[in-house]
Amino acid sequence: MTKHIFVTGGVVSSLGKGLTSASIGMLLERRGLRVRMQKLDPYINVDPGTMSPYQHGEVYVLDDGSETDLDLGHYERFTNSPLTRDSNWTTGQIYLSVIEKERRGEFLGKTVQVIPHVTDEIKAAIAKLATPDADVVITEIGGTVGDIESQPFLEAIRQFSLDVGRENCMYIHLTLVPYLKAAGELKTKPTQHSVGQMREIGIQPDILICRTERSLSLDDRQKIALFCNVPVECVIEEKDKDFSIYEVPLSLVDHDLDDLIVDRLQIRTDKLELDDWRGLLHGLRNPQHEISIAVVGKYAEHRDAYKSIYESLDHAGMAHHAQVRIQRIQSESVESEGPERLLAGYDGLLVPGGFGERGIEGKVEAIRFAREREIPFFGICLGLQCAVVEFARNVAGLKDANSSEFDRETPHPVICLLDEQRNITNKGGTMRLGAQPCLLVEGSRSRDSYGREEISERHRHRYEFNNTYRQQFAAHGLSVAGSSPDGKLVEIVEMPDHPWYVAVQYHPEFKSKPTAAHPLFSGFVAAAIARRGQRKTTGDNSPEDAARTPDEIPR
Ligand code: GLN
């Protein structure tokens, strides 16, 4: 019988429920269990893919092409749970499916209501993951207890334990225990209130995970236990991690969370195996190199807009025993302040994906700078498209070359709309999405990095490299290193004469894990380490040695 764990959150949003859920999944997997992960999001959008990165950070794409919440990225980085479109549901998707059923007459003329119709749909979405090959399904409920939007989800998970038996379900509630400076103490009242709200709707949490800046005393834990009606050993602290998110599972183990879960669910498991993970963190704490990478993007000020890219850089750093300092740079500021001032001194430059015209010229300028100064350059999706535009204008001599996304009248549409996109008007879920095969060219840098000829990577775009210019660009030094098996779509371009210049039409950042860095991120970081070494020997002392803490990504 598959067991179910429901993770809810209280007091405030952004408590790191996704990370905690992923960590729980990882710990259970490392005790030999087969885990499935799922997130239920209370917002009404049917297509998370059309939401601005300012709302919930990056859109995370799965192999099957579904565009999902970024927490699914944590799930994939921490666990091996297979994720599909059944792994992420929004209120909008649940309602859409109820309404479609109603319109097909499936409710036989009954009045369609939140209970039971919407809650049944939610329960069906949860039950769908409980296949015979799944030992545990972990379902994270987005939002905060008390929000109007989350109510149907909470009601559904309450009912769920009646359907499958309370002994097969457990509820883990994440809360905040703030430290009040003026009082000089941790405050447990918000936790009491949020658990109170859970109990009002009929859910008694089994375990409380308390996010806190300071350690909880036994007194604090006893107080929380008493008021929230849980045994004191089930009040667990999760202290803020300012070093690395990959420490979270280890700190949960220190508080015996894995034991508590398997005891409560009565599952027999293997011994916890974490040596490799501890090794990763040891390497991270004792780096042999340090490099600085500039990520030049439109949403650079938003911490989560390129989440998977930042994580992938970290994974590559771990693989090379390097500390990767990441500087987020707003592409528009490259336009106003110039690349010399903002970009000199980095060991590598990465231009991520994006949509819309804002900041494009800054990206093009940044890429020109990396090309001319021989700084390792990695372009991803829109990053490839901007690299092609830059090359066309400044190397191939095609004045005013552009992507037709930004200039419909350009005389040289070096990036143009994919054929399949020409008649599409609906925005949601209609791009070229998900895993696509790609063949790598013998002798290319990418082929060497991957170590094989055929790869599969995830896509999310409407525009493509315009094949009309393929020969012309090759003659000037920009070659195609990977394309779709029919040869029609360019997936990778490289400059063989540059120390490391690779741009890809897909999103490699969705397939990197801390335990298995992505080959291209790994190659990029290795090239950045080499450049740093060179600069040390030539005594090139550049602004990157200056402190630049404010925008740096905390590890
Ligand atoms: N806007 C570009 C396109 O649609 C790039 C997309 C992306 O970077 N994900 O093709």
Side-chain angles (χ1 to χ4, degrees):
M1 168 101 204
T2 305
K3 307 283 181 170
H4 289 267
I5 298 176
F6 297 103
V7 180
T8 54
V11 184
V12 290
S13 58
S14 306
L15 275 182
K17 276 199 306 290
L19 211 48
T20 303
S21 305
S23 301
I24 294 171
M26 172 200 151
L27 294 177
L28 296 181
E29 266 188 2
R30 280 155 179 271
R31 292 191 63 149
L33 298 172
R34 295 161 303 174
V35 171
R36 299 291 178 269
M37 307 278 315
Q38 178 181 52
K39 176 153 191 207
L40 306 181
D41 272 312
Y43 50 76
I44 294 171
N45 304 58
V46 175
D47 301 298
T50 55
M51 288 164 95
S52 153
Y54 289 120
Q55 297 290 303
H56 297 269
E58 83 178 359
V59 174
Y60 190 81
V61 182
L62 304 179
D63 269 342
D64 69 2
S66 34
E67 299 172 281
T68 69
D69 185 84
L70 63 71
D71 278 327
L72 277 81
H74 291 310
Y75 302 169
E76 280 205 324
R77 289 187 280 271
F78 281 70
T79 77
N80 297 310
S81 167
L83 300 184
T84 66
R85 57 185 73 252
D86 293 331
S87 316
N88 190 197
W89 288 86
T90 68
T91 293
Q93 291 164 350
I94 294 282
Y95 269 80
L96 187 65
S97 122
V98 170
I99 291 167
E100 278 169 357
K101 280 186 184 163
E102 185 265 330
R103 301 197 80 192
R104 285 196 300 268
E106 288 183 29
F107 297 122
L108 306 174
K110 288 208 181 94
T111 306
V112 181
Q113 295 179 298
V114 172
I115 305 172
H117 301 100
V118 169
T119 48
D120 277 353
E121 197 68 27
I122 297 171
K123 288 194 288 179
I126 299 168
K128 198 164 176 200
L129 292 198
T131 47
D133 59 351
D135 297 315
V136 181
V137 175
I138 300 175
T139 303
E140 175 192 346
I141 314 295
T144 307
V145 171
D147 295 347
I148 290 178
E149 290 92 338
S150 11
Q151 278 181 2
F153 289 109
L154 296 172
E155 168 61 14
I157 64 171
R158 180 192 69 79
Q159 292 174 17
F160 201 87
S161 75
L162 296 178
D163 298 351
V164 302
R166 183 67 175 88
E167 68 285 6
N168 296 314
C169 290
M170 77 182 289
Y171 299 94
I172 297 182
H173 188 60
L174 204 66
T175 80
L176 177 73
V177 180
Y179 176 75
L180 273 203
K181 236 200 214 143
E185 53 185 35
L186 287 168
K187 289 294 181 191
T188 64
K189 194 75 78 189
T191 297
Q192 296 174 33
H193 283 306
S194 92
V195 175
Q197 273 178 315
M198 291 288 287
R199 292 168 68 195
E200 232 166 70
I201 50 183
I203 299 175
Q204 167 64 57
D206 297 293
I207 291 180
L208 302 179
I209 299 183
C210 305
R211 285 296 308 272
T212 171
E213 304 170 36
R214 312 215 167 188
S215 284
L216 300 179
S217 66
L218 182 59
D219 264 5
D220 295 325
R221 292 175 52 221
Q222 280 169 335
K223 191 168 169 191
I224 294 173
L226 182 66
F227 282 95
C228 299
N229 196 33
V230 295
V232 67
E233 64 275 13
C234 293
V235 180
I236 288 190
E237 90 179 22
E238 188 187 318
K239 252 173 95 177
D240 296 352
K241 293 282 166 283
D242 45 17
F243 177 64
S244 167
I245 56 168
Y246 299 109
E247 290 178 295
V248 173
L250 300 182
S251 82
L252 295 174
V253 170
D254 288 343
H255 295 91
D256 300 324
L257 180 64
D258 56 319
D259 284 335
L260 285 169
I261 294 174
V262 298
D263 288 351
R264 165 68 181 70
L265 289 175
Q266 304 255 307
I267 340 178
R268 251 210 296 268
T269 70
D270 305 338
K271 229 176 105 257
L272 184 65
E273 190 38 78
L274 274 181
D275 288 351
D276 61 329
W277 200 267
R278 290 190 200 281
L280 279 179
L281 278 151
H282 178 78
L284 206 52
R285 284 191 184 281
N286 302 284
Q288 292 160 13
H289 316 277
E290 188 183 324
I291 53 166
S292 294
I293 302 288
V295 175
V296 182
K298 173 176 172 185
Y299 306 103
E301 78 280 30
H302 193 295
R303 203 167 271 266
D304 285 340
Y306 311 115
K307 181 99 193 148
S308 296
I309 288 180
Y310 301 143
E311 294 305 319
S312 304
L313 286 169
D314 265 359
H315 304 159
M318 292 184 207
H320 291 282
H321 307 286
Q323 177 170 7
V324 183
R325 293 187 163 280
I326 300 168
Q327 180 73 21
R328 299 174 279 162
I329 294 178
Q330 195 78 23
S331 46
E332 279 172 299
S333 49
V334 179
E335 291 165 22
S336 52
E337 297 182 40
E340 185 69 50
R341 206 178 107 61
L342 285 180
L343 302 175
Y346 286 99
D347 305 304
L349 196 144
L350 189 152
V351 176
F355 299 84
E357 204 181 345
R358 179 163 72 80
I360 287 298
E361 293 305 322
K363 290 178 190 170
V364 169
E365 272 303 293
I367 296 167
R368 175 181 193 158
F369 189 76
R371 180 178 54 75
E372 291 179 346
R373 301 291 175 97
E374 303 205 324
I375 302 169
F377 164 68
F378 195 7
I380 293 181
C381 206
L382 181 61
L384 171 141
Q385 299 176 357
C386 289
V388 170
V389 168
E390 189 280 319
F391 190 88
R393 290 181 191 170
N394 302 321
V395 181
L398 303 178
K399 202 170 161 285
D400 297 327
N402 213 333
S403 159
S404 54
E405 180 179 2
F406 312 124
D407 179 3
R408 278 168 198 257
E409 308 304 324
T410 172
H412 304 291
V414 289
I415 300 292
C416 58
L417 202 60
L418 283 156
D419 277 345
E420 65 198 36
Q421 290 286 324
R422 296 200 189 273
N423 298 320
I424 290 177
T425 48
N426 232 347
K427 286 274 179 279
T430 54
M431 285 185 247
R432 178 175 181 238
L433 285 167
Q436 312 281 346
C438 164
L439 295 182
L440 302 177
V441 173
E442 190 66 48
S444 64
R445 189 165 273 134
S446 304
R447 173 81 167 77
D448 290 349
S449 297
Y450 280 96
R452 57 178 190 274
E453 193 196 352
E454 181 166 348
I455 57 164
S456 165
E457 292 280 5
R458 298 180 189 170
H459 292 66
R460 182 169 184 253
H461 65 121
R462 291 188 204 281
Y463 292 81
E464 61 162 333
F465 180 107
N466 185 340
N467 279 319
T468 324
Y469 297 92
R470 217 155 152 162
Q471 306 280 318
Q472 196 176 347
F473 288 173
H476 283 90
L478 185 77
S479 54
V480 171
S483 49
S484 55
D486 63 5
K488 287 190 180 149
L489 297 175
V490 171
E491 304 286 27
I492 310 176
V493 295
E494 293 183 2
M495 277 187 67
D497 290 340
H498 186 282
W500 205 92
Y501 181 111
V502 177
V504 296
Q505 184 55 73
Y506 51 84
H507 290 273
E509 71 272 24
F510 297 142
K511 291 188 74 169
S512 182
K513 288 183 178 238
T515 46
H518 188 283
L520 290 184
F521 277 93
S522 181
F524 176 56
V525 162
I529 294 171
R531 178 174 164 87
R532 167 62 72 105
Q534 258 170 20
R535 287 201 300 113
K536 267 196 186 139
T537 46
T538 54
D540 171 4
N541 207 5
S542 32
E544 50 100 39
D545 298 320
R548 52 162 72 91
T549 29
D551 276 351
E552 231 164 54
I553 307 283
R555 303 190 62 91

